[in-house]
Amino acid sequence: MQAILLVGGLGTRLRPLTLTTPKQMLPVLHRPMLEYAVSGLARHGVDRVVLALGYHDDAFRAAYPDGRCAGVELCCVVEPEPLDTAGAIRFAFEASGMDASAGTFLVANGDVITDLDVGEMLRLHRSAGAEATIHLIAVDDPFRYGVVVTDPGGRVSAFVEKPPGPRSPSSWINAGTYLMEPSVIGRIDAGRRVSVEREVFPAMVADGALWALRQNTYWVDVGTPQAYLRAQLDLLDGRRGPAAAGVSAEASVDAEAVIERSVVMAGAVVGAGSVVRGSAVHSGAVIEAGATVLDSVVGSGATVGRGARVADGTLIGERFTVAAGADLSDARVP
Ligand code: GTP
């Protein structure tokens, strides 16, 4: 089966990290986020992935010059301008040479890390004769997402993007992986911005053509600083397979530094008396002596000066410096 991976967004919520690196090329533990998505699809029989690129497309091409990732053939297409999620699907479908004979294909948001069983989704999609099927996950805070209501057989009766008001019609949300028949492409206008969540899915609900599978498996939408850290801490904590090592063998950590539940990437330097907790220190970053980094991300080549404290979801952009003695909480540098 072929898959279209949507990876062309601006990633504004992860700025300034995404000013220099597109979101799906940011490291999660020691590998780009993209590789988790591609290897997850490869485990479920996807053998060709079309990357729907836009913002910073050069970074993807440079990372995979031979057009392969996690054992899968990559096909790169670049929108002339951002076409939003559905516009990107249509553009990628046509520009990569897919056609109706391709049959059912998969679409996924490239910033979702999940252990979804695609096979179970495909069985529902086929037995229902669905035109498209959405993966649903249950969350405590559905208001930030697209909320989906289904009948007992799984047919979608309502799709409400970011529900307003005090009550949500359901705690099941659109988890960002879809199976689609080629006919869905005909529902998307060419050459303009079209949202799959705001336009295409509601229209399909009206036609009774949309189905959804509830599957509460491991799932993180890596859109916010908190989720970006959580995806990495989950790997350290063994919440997905065996617990992983957080500190790269190629990092230099002073014997007098304290590192707890954190990722320290290759070439990073952590000085004496510093504390790094619940955080990610990217490649080549420097945490000077006596500095404290709590629940924050220090971008590659950035420096946290002597005795400085960065905390509570602070993001430090690539090669920027936090002055010695500074005290930052939930900050963005720059
Ligand atoms: P924010 O700006 O922080 O909201 O992040 P984002 O740009 O990633 O937006 P969002 O999380 O809503 O996008 C969901 C998925 O669709 C992500 O994987 C994006 O990379 C992708 N995406 C969003 N808009 C476009 C687009 O216009 N073109 C393409 N190719 N992908 C897109």
Coordinates of all heavy atoms in Angstrom, one line a residue, residues 3-36:
A3 N 1.4 5.4 0.9 CA 0.9 6.4 2.0 C 1.4 7.7 1.6 O 2.4 7.9 1.0 CB 1.5 6.0 3.3
I4 N 0.5 8.7 1.9 CA 0.9 10.1 1.8 C 1.1 10.7 3.2 O 0.3 10.5 4.1 CB -0.2 11.0 1.1 CG1 -0.3 10.5 -0.4 CG2 0.1 12.5 1.1 CD1 -1.5 11.1 -1.1
L5 N 2.3 11.2 3.4 CA 2.6 11.7 4.8 C 2.7 13.3 4.7 O 3.4 13.8 3.9 CB 4.0 11.2 5.2 CG 4.3 10.9 6.6 CD1 3.2 10.1 7.3 CD2 5.6 10.1 6.7
L6 N 1.8 13.9 5.5 CA 1.7 15.4 5.4 C 2.8 16.0 6.3 O 2.8 15.8 7.5 CB 0.4 15.8 5.9 CG -0.8 15.3 5.1 CD1 -2.1 15.7 5.7 CD2 -0.8 15.8 3.7
V7 N 3.8 16.6 5.7 CA 4.9 17.1 6.4 C 5.3 18.5 6.0 O 6.4 19.0 6.1 CB 6.2 16.2 6.3 CG1 5.9 14.9 7.0 CG2 6.6 16.0 4.8
G8 N 4.3 19.3 5.5 CA 4.6 20.6 4.9 C 4.2 21.8 5.8 O 4.4 22.9 5.3
G9 N 3.8 21.5 7.0 CA 3.3 22.6 7.8 C 4.4 23.4 8.4 O 5.6 23.0 8.4
L10 N 4.1 24.6 8.9 CA 5.0 25.5 9.5 C 5.5 25.2 10.9 O 6.6 25.6 11.3 CB 4.5 27.0 9.5 CG 4.0 27.6 8.2 CD1 3.4 28.9 8.4 CD2 5.3 27.7 7.3
G11 N 4.7 24.4 11.6 CA 5.1 24.0 13.0 C 5.3 25.2 13.9 O 6.2 25.3 14.7
T12 N 4.4 26.2 13.8 CA 4.5 27.4 14.5 C 4.6 27.2 16.0 O 5.3 27.9 16.7 CB 3.4 28.4 14.2 OG1 2.1 27.7 14.3 CG2 3.5 29.0 12.9
R13 N 3.9 26.2 16.5 CA 3.8 26.0 18.0 C 5.2 25.5 18.5 O 5.4 25.6 19.7 CB 2.7 25.0 18.4 CG 1.3 25.6 18.2 CD 0.3 24.6 18.2 NE 0.4 23.6 17.1 CZ -0.2 22.5 17.0 NH1 -1.0 22.0 18.0 NH2 0.0 21.7 16.0
L14 N 6.1 25.1 17.7 CA 7.4 24.6 18.1 C 8.5 25.6 17.7 O 9.7 25.3 17.7 CB 7.7 23.2 17.6 CG 7.0 22.1 18.3 CD1 7.3 20.7 17.6 CD2 7.4 22.0 19.8
R15 N 8.1 26.8 17.4 CA 9.1 27.9 17.1 C 9.8 28.2 18.5 O 9.1 28.2 19.5 CB 8.5 29.1 16.5 CG 8.2 28.9 15.1 CD 7.6 30.2 14.5 NE 7.2 30.0 13.1 CZ 6.4 30.8 12.4 NH1 5.8 31.8 13.0 NH2 6.1 30.5 11.2
P16 N 11.0 28.6 18.5 CA 11.9 28.8 17.3 C 12.6 27.5 16.8 O 13.4 27.6 15.9 CB 13.0 29.7 17.9 CG 13.1 29.3 19.4 CD 11.7 29.0 19.8
L17 N 12.4 26.3 17.4 CA 13.1 25.2 16.9 C 12.8 24.9 15.4 O 13.6 24.5 14.7 CB 12.6 23.9 17.7 CG 12.9 24.0 19.2 CD1 12.3 22.8 19.9 CD2 14.4 24.0 19.5
T18 N 11.5 25.2 15.0 CA 11.1 25.0 13.6 C 11.5 26.1 12.7 O 11.1 26.0 11.5 CB 9.6 24.7 13.6 OG1 9.0 25.7 14.4 CG2 9.3 23.3 14.1
L19 N 12.1 27.1 13.2 CA 12.6 28.2 12.2 C 13.7 27.7 11.3 O 13.8 28.1 10.2 CB 13.1 29.4 13.0 CG 12.0 30.2 13.8 CD1 12.6 31.3 14.6 CD2 10.9 30.7 12.8
T20 N 14.5 26.8 11.9 CA 15.6 26.3 11.1 C 15.5 24.8 10.7 O 16.1 24.4 9.7 CB 16.9 26.4 12.0 OG1 16.6 26.0 13.3 CG2 17.5 27.8 12.0
T21 N 14.6 24.1 11.4 CA 14.4 22.7 11.1 C 12.9 22.4 11.0 O 12.2 22.7 11.9 CB 15.0 21.8 12.2 OG1 16.4 22.2 12.4 CG2 15.0 20.3 11.9
P22 N 12.5 21.8 9.9 CA 11.0 21.5 9.9 C 10.7 20.5 11.0 O 11.5 19.7 11.4 CB 10.8 20.9 8.5 CG 12.1 20.5 8.0 CD 13.2 21.3 8.7
K23 N 9.4 20.6 11.5 CA 9.0 19.8 12.7 C 9.4 18.4 12.5 O 9.9 17.8 13.5 CB 7.5 20.0 12.9 CG 7.0 19.2 14.0 CD 5.6 19.7 14.5 CE 4.5 19.8 13.4 NZ 3.2 20.2 14.0
Q24 N 9.1 17.7 11.4 CA 9.3 16.3 11.3 C 10.7 15.9 11.2 O 11.1 14.7 11.2 CB 8.5 15.7 10.1 CG 7.0 15.7 10.4 CD 6.3 17.0 10.0 OE1 7.0 17.9 9.5 NE2 5.0 17.1 10.2
M25 N 11.6 16.9 11.0 CA 13.1 16.6 11.0 C 13.7 16.9 12.4 O 14.9 16.7 12.6 CB 13.8 17.3 9.9 CG 13.5 16.8 8.5 SD 13.8 15.0 8.3 CE 15.6 14.9 8.7
L26 N 12.9 17.3 13.4 CA 13.5 17.5 14.7 C 13.7 16.2 15.3 O 13.0 15.2 15.1 CB 12.5 18.3 15.6 CG 12.3 19.8 15.3 CD1 11.1 20.3 16.2 CD2 13.6 20.5 15.6
P27 N 14.8 16.0 16.1 CA 15.1 14.7 16.7 C 14.2 14.4 17.8 O 13.8 15.2 18.6 CB 16.5 14.9 17.2 CG 16.7 16.4 17.5 CD 15.8 17.1 16.5
V28 N 13.8 13.1 17.8 CA 13.0 12.5 18.9 C 13.9 11.4 19.4 O 14.2 10.5 18.7 CB 11.7 11.9 18.4 CG1 11.0 11.1 19.5 CG2 10.7 13.1 18.1
L29 N 14.4 11.5 20.6 CA 15.5 10.7 21.1 C 16.7 11.0 20.2 O 17.1 12.1 20.1 CB 15.1 9.3 21.3 CG 15.9 8.4 22.3 CD1 15.8 9.1 23.7 CD2 15.3 7.0 22.4
H30 N 17.1 10.0 19.4 CA 18.3 10.3 18.6 C 18.0 10.2 17.1 O 19.0 10.1 16.3 CB 19.5 9.4 19.0 CG 19.8 9.5 20.5 ND1 20.3 10.7 21.1 CD2 19.5 8.7 21.5 CE1 20.4 10.5 22.4 NE2 19.9 9.3 22.7
R31 N 16.7 10.2 16.7 CA 16.4 10.0 15.3 C 15.3 11.1 14.9 O 14.5 11.5 15.7 CB 15.7 8.7 15.0 CG 16.7 7.5 15.2 CD 16.0 6.2 14.6 NE 14.8 5.8 15.4 CZ 13.8 5.1 14.9 NH1 13.8 4.9 13.6 NH2 12.8 4.8 15.7
P32 N 15.3 11.5 13.6 CA 14.3 12.5 13.2 C 12.9 11.9 13.4 O 12.6 10.7 13.2 CB 14.5 12.7 11.7 CG 15.9 12.2 11.5 CD 16.2 11.2 12.5
M33 N 12.0 12.8 13.9 CA 10.6 12.4 14.1 C 10.0 11.6 12.9 O 9.3 10.6 13.1 CB 9.8 13.7 14.3 CG 8.4 13.5 14.8 SD 7.5 15.1 14.8 CE 8.5 16.1 15.9
L34 N 10.3 12.0 11.7 CA 9.8 11.4 10.5 C 10.0 9.9 10.5 O 9.2 9.1 10.0 CB 10.5 12.0 9.3 CG 10.1 11.4 7.9 CD1 8.8 12.0 7.5 CD2 11.1 11.7 6.8
E35 N 11.2 9.4 11.0 CA 11.5 8.0 10.9 C 10.6 7.1 11.8 O 10.3 6.0 11.5 CB 13.0 7.8 11.3 CG 13.8 8.5 10.3 CD 15.3 8.2 10.4 OE1 15.7 7.2 11.2 OE2 16.1 8.9 9.8
Y36 N 10.0 7.7 12.8 CA 9.0 7.0 13.6 C 7.7 6.7 12.8 O 7.2 5.7 12.8 CB 8.7 7.7 15.0 CG 9.9 7.8 15.9 CD1 10.8 8.8 15.7 CD2 10.1 6.8 16.9 CE1 11.9 8.8 16.6 CE2 11.2 6.9 17.7 CZ 12.1 7.9 17.5 OH 13.2 8.0 18.4

